[in-house]
Amino acid sequence: MYKLNKVDNNSSLLFNLEKIVGSEYIITDSWKKQKYSKGWRYGSGNAFVVVRPATLIEIWKILKICLKANTIVIMQAANTGLTGGSTPYDNGYDRRIVIINTMRINNIHIINQGKQIIGLAGSTLYDLEKKLKPYGREPHSVIGSTSVGASIVGGVCNNSGGSLVKRGPAYTELALYAKVNQNSELELVNELGIDLGSNEEEILNNLQNRNFDKSDVIQSNKLASDKDYPNIVRQISSNIPSRYNADKRLLHGVSGSAGKVAVFAVRLDTYKIPKKNQVFYVGSNNPDVFWEIRRDILSKFKTLPTSGDYLHRDCYDAAKKYSKDNFIVIEKLGTNFIPTLFELKRKVDLLSKNIKFLPDKFSDKIMQFLSKLWPNHLPKRMEQFRDKYEHHWVIEMSEDGIDEAKKYFSKFFIDKEGGFFECTTKEAQKSILHRYVAASAIGRYHALNEDKTGEMLSMDIAFPRNEKDWFEKLPSKINDLLDIKFCYGHLFCHVLHLNYIVKKGVNADKLKKELLKTYDARGAEYPAEHNVGHEYFAKQSLTEFYKKLDPTNFFNPGIGQTSKLKYWK
């Protein structure tokens, strides 16, 4: 628990915050705070208060009050992260924690004829996708984070990767944010590349209300996306992973900042929607076959794939059984219902914890039961490949890359183990969706079997681009301690999500350290596309970056298992 300083005054702080946002948007009730203080999948802690501002000016005023009151501030948008990076974690803080949730500030400004956007603090990828459709363009992420209501700003702050091969991690050098300098003074940093005025309130008001025109938008050499990534991913002989969270190349301002500054807005590139797409479903029992395909496509094709998502047969089966309800909801109701579903699920689980006769993870148990009533949802050809092959790869090509892939696969599998088929539109949608919902299978399995098994470990690993033995073979001393293993990932980028549930009685923390040693020995980096949150240890490059951004440790202390104390003591 935090220890109150003698000069702190709870009532005074709450009174001043209430003057800014109104009592309706101040949350002090313990039960209501859990939505904001408990991670979507990982981590939770105590917060003194949750504040929900409606404008950028309100955020600025809240920050000034919190700084004066000697509190900690955790900036938070949708709270959909997987590593607990936007919530408090456990105890050990030396000041009160104020969570600023930005989801009421969801404006999105389209600029440069739709080729770029400005996303304000709480704007979401889902809303951006809808807003860009009339322009024939799309955001950095089109499935995954988009589907759970994640924020635009969150993706940039966390160097989020995703499955799209041509785009790399979310990145920009154009942003508007506040930081606290080494003299404990609040500064507004305008790197947005837009002339918005001369003082803080003018700048923030003009941005929120779009009081600027074309002539105010500065065109410069500053990047609004990772333009080097298509070349980087093609370098198949490199012994360095293609993308990972601690990559110094992508630590700039708000990009990779992990909540160590208060982000008001980011400016990002958008992407033209291809006119033609084709999904190829590829299967094999030999991991080396996929290794060869990956190298051929990345080094020889003129057109890079749109995506290439891998799924092991065990994970295929788990997703079919334990992620069926998510699949059906998205297929029948669309991704726009998913944020609502997750919000409802969160509320049901919080409620069940306060009602003694209801079991833990009540929502999972209800949804799993209902999913059994639905017939098999997967296409016949996918099911045939499941029976025939251990390794599955869903590869999407666009434009000229479609013919390249057709010719390549037809020739390749003449004398190589495995096979492929060209998906119909329906098969393509189902194969991509099945791979996407596979991410939730481990959580559901654990929720239904937690009395029989040990803890859950989810590893997000980036392997070197020249790694041939990409498919994991664990030492028996580790493997024998695991109850279940699910493997999926983005194979062209060599990013794998390795999800484990340990056997009952096994020390998960100790086993995790052993697992990480095996990855270190292979030159891997981690996390790959998730933020370090409170689950991973921040490497030196990240820690130095955080300290430079936030020398007093005012914002989000403890991130990456760093100090939770003022001035990083």
Side-chain angles (χ1 to χ4, degrees):
M1 291 287 291
Y2 51 77
K3 295 179 181 178
L4 292 179
N5 189 295
K6 289 180 181 178
V7 299
D8 289 333
N9 187 300
N10 292 349
S11 298
S12 175
L13 177 57
L14 291 175
F15 176 76
N16 288 329
L17 293 174
E18 192 173 311
K19 278 200 302 184
I20 297 169
V21 300
S23 59
E24 185 181 353
Y25 299 105
I26 298 285
I27 303 169
T28 56
D29 181 82
S30 295
W31 190 80
K32 290 180 180 177
K33 282 190 293 187
Q34 286 187 54
K35 172 183 172 182
Y36 307 94
S37 61
K38 182 177 172 60
W40 188 58
R41 189 186 72 180
Y42 182 86
S44 64
N46 297 304
F48 172 65
V49 64
V50 178
V51 192
R52 300 184 61 231
T55 67
L56 300 177
I57 286 287
E58 287 182 359
I59 294 179
W60 178 256
K61 290 178 178 178
I62 292 165
L63 291 174
K64 288 201 288 187
I65 285 172
C66 289
L67 191 59
K68 188 176 180 181
N70 191 36
T71 74
I72 284 166
V73 165
I74 296 178
M75 299 294 298
Q76 176 194 90
N79 191 19
T80 57
L82 298 176
T83 57
S86 55
T87 63
Y89 182 77
D90 206 6
N91 301 315
Y93 296 95
D94 60 346
R95 293 151 287 166
R96 293 168 293 178
I97 297 172
V98 177
I99 295 175
I100 302 177
N101 184 279
T102 62
M103 291 303 287
R104 294 176 66 207
I105 310 169
N106 57 7
N107 313 52
I108 297 171
H109 303 319
I110 307 292
I111 61 172
N112 297 338
Q113 297 81 47
K115 293 178 182 177
Q116 287 189 327
I117 63 97
I118 299 167
L120 268 57
S123 57
T124 66
L125 287 162
Y126 175 71
D127 285 341
L128 178 57
E129 188 173 8
K130 287 194 297 181
K131 204 157 188 175
L132 285 174
K133 269 190 178 176
Y135 295 87
R137 302 186 75 82
E138 61 189 12
H140 173 268
S141 177
V142 292
I143 194 167
S145 296
T146 309
S147 303
V148 294
S151 71
I152 297 169
V153 166
V156 175
C157 291
N158 295 329
N159 281 143
S160 297
S163 60
L164 300 177
V165 180
K166 302 173 188 177
R167 300 182 189 178
Y171 178 76
T172 188
E173 295 168 2
L174 300 162
L176 179 68
Y177 60 98
K179 63 179 292 185
V180 174
N181 65 26
Q182 59 189 3
N183 298 317
S184 292
E185 299 164 336
L186 190 66
E187 296 179 357
L188 184 67
V189 182
N190 185 5
E191 296 174 345
L192 201 57
I194 300 175
D195 185 1
L196 294 166
S198 56
N199 64 66
E200 292 91 355
E201 295 206 3
E202 185 182 12
I203 289 169
L204 295 170
N205 269 326
N206 284 339
L207 177 60
Q208 179 131 13
N209 299 316
R210 194 165 181 157
N211 291 331
F212 61 89
D213 55 34
K214 266 188 192 179
S215 62
D216 296 316
V217 179
I218 302 163
Q219 306 301 330
S220 69
N221 293 325
K222 286 191 172 183
L223 298 175
S225 62
D226 181 11
K227 296 188 184 299
D228 289 338
Y229 190 73
N231 294 322
I232 287 169
V233 77
R234 284 188 182 273
Q235 294 167 12
I236 56 175
S237 298
S238 172
N239 61 359
I240 300 170
S242 57
R243 57 181 169 97
Y244 54 97
N245 193 256
D247 188 353
K248 288 184 180 180
R249 185 179 68 87
L250 299 176
L251 300 178
H252 184 286
V254 306
S255 295
S257 60
K260 298 304 291 181
V261 293
V263 184
F264 293 106
V266 292
R267 178 173 163 184
L268 295 168
D269 290 332
T270 66
Y271 302 84
K272 189 176 180 181
I273 299 173
K275 292 180 181 178
K276 295 188 297 179
N277 294 286
Q278 176 63 54
V279 171
F280 297 86
Y281 201 96
V282 184
S284 180
N285 290 306
N286 184 355
D288 288 348
V289 167
F290 280 9
W291 173 79
E292 190 173 348
I293 291 171
R294 174 183 173 275
R295 290 175 66 84
D296 285 346
I297 290 177
L298 291 178
S299 63
K300 297 175 183 177
F301 277 34
K302 290 181 180 178
T303 305
L304 279 172
T306 301
S307 63
D309 279 2
Y310 167 77
L311 199 65
H312 184 263
R313 179 157 54 196
D314 290 346
C315 197
Y316 179 108
D317 292 344
K320 180 180 175 182
K321 182 176 181 179
Y322 297 110
S323 303
K324 187 177 181 181
D325 52 317
N326 286 338
F327 184 105
I328 293 163
V329 166
I330 295 174
E331 184 183 42
K332 303 301 179 185
L333 300 179
T335 55
N336 60 320
F337 185 72
I338 287 294
T340 305
L341 177 66
F342 277 103
E343 180 61 25
L344 180 62
K345 183 180 184 302
R346 193 196 297 257
K347 286 180 178 177
V348 169
D349 286 339
L350 287 174
L351 185 65
S352 68
K353 284 195 170 187
N354 290 275
I355 300 176
K356 289 183 179 179
F357 65 83
L358 291 178
D360 281 346
K361 309 291 176 66
F362 186 49
S363 66
D364 285 293
K365 288 165 185 176
I366 291 174
M367 293 168 75
Q368 187 63 29
F369 171 76
L370 293 174
S371 72
K372 292 178 181 178
L373 305 178
W374 202 271
N376 186 8
H377 55 292
L378 297 178
K380 185 177 179 181
R381 286 202 289 180
M382 277 178 63
E383 293 283 71
Q384 289 171 342
F385 263 49
R386 180 264 164 224
D387 293 338
K388 197 171 182 181
Y389 301 118
E390 179 182 359
H391 304 286
H392 297 239
W393 199 359
V394 183
I395 299 174
E396 183 176 3
M397 303 297 299
S398 63
E399 311 299 7
D400 293 343
I402 297 171
D403 286 336
E404 281 188 283
K406 281 182 184 179
K407 291 173 185 175
Y408 173 80
F409 287 131
S410 297
K411 185 177 180 181
F412 182 86
F413 283 113
I414 290 174
D415 58 358
K416 296 289 169 58
E417 192 276 332
F420 82 102
F421 63 86
E422 295 177 44
C423 293
T424 63
T425 301
K426 190 173 182 180
E427 287 172 333
Q429 292 170 346
K430 285 180 177 282
S431 64
I432 291 171
L433 184 52
H434 183 60
R435 160 54 194 92
Y436 165 64
V437 300
S440 66
I442 188 83
R444 176 63 56 78
Y445 179 92
H446 189 252
L448 299 177
N449 297 280
E450 59 185 346
D451 57 330
K452 305 172 191 173
T453 64
E455 294 181 53
M456 179 171 62
L457 294 175
S458 295
M459 314 299 284
D460 171 34
I461 310 298
F463 289 103
R465 282 164 278 177
N466 65 352
E467 173 65 84
K468 183 175 183 181
D469 297 324
W470 62 270
F471 185 66
E472 186 174 59
K473 295 173 185 174
L474 292 172
S476 58
K477 67 176 183 177
I478 292 178
N479 201 59
D480 292 345
L481 300 177
L482 300 174
D483 184 65
I484 203 87
K485 294 188 294 184
F486 297 152
C487 178
Y488 60 93
H490 316 300
L491 207 50
F492 286 113
C493 306
H494 251 18
V495 168
L496 290 177
H497 301 297
L498 305 163
N499 293 341
Y500 313 104
I501 294 176
V502 304
K503 290 180 178 177
K504 204 167 185 68
V506 171
N507 185 320
D509 288 337
K510 185 178 178 182
L511 183 60
K512 182 177 180 178
K513 289 175 183 176
E514 292 299 315
L515 278 165
L516 294 178
K517 284 180 185 177
T518 69
Y519 305 141
D520 290 337
R522 297 168 64 187
E525 292 279 354
Y526 47 84
E529 59 183 14
H530 304 156
N531 181 252
V532 288
H534 292 281
E535 191 171 9
Y536 294 91
F537 177 78
K539 294 190 175 180
Q540 188 176 351
S541 58
L542 272 181
T543 302
E544 289 174 356
F545 180 59
Y546 297 158
K547 287 183 176 181
K548 186 177 179 181
L549 286 176
D550 185 19
T552 71
N553 213 11
F554 174 70
F555 290 109
N556 209 11
I559 195 77
Q561 300 176 27
T562 58
S563 171
K564 293 178 178 178
L565 307 181
K566 194 169 184 178
Y567 297 113
W568 300 85
K569 291 177 182 175

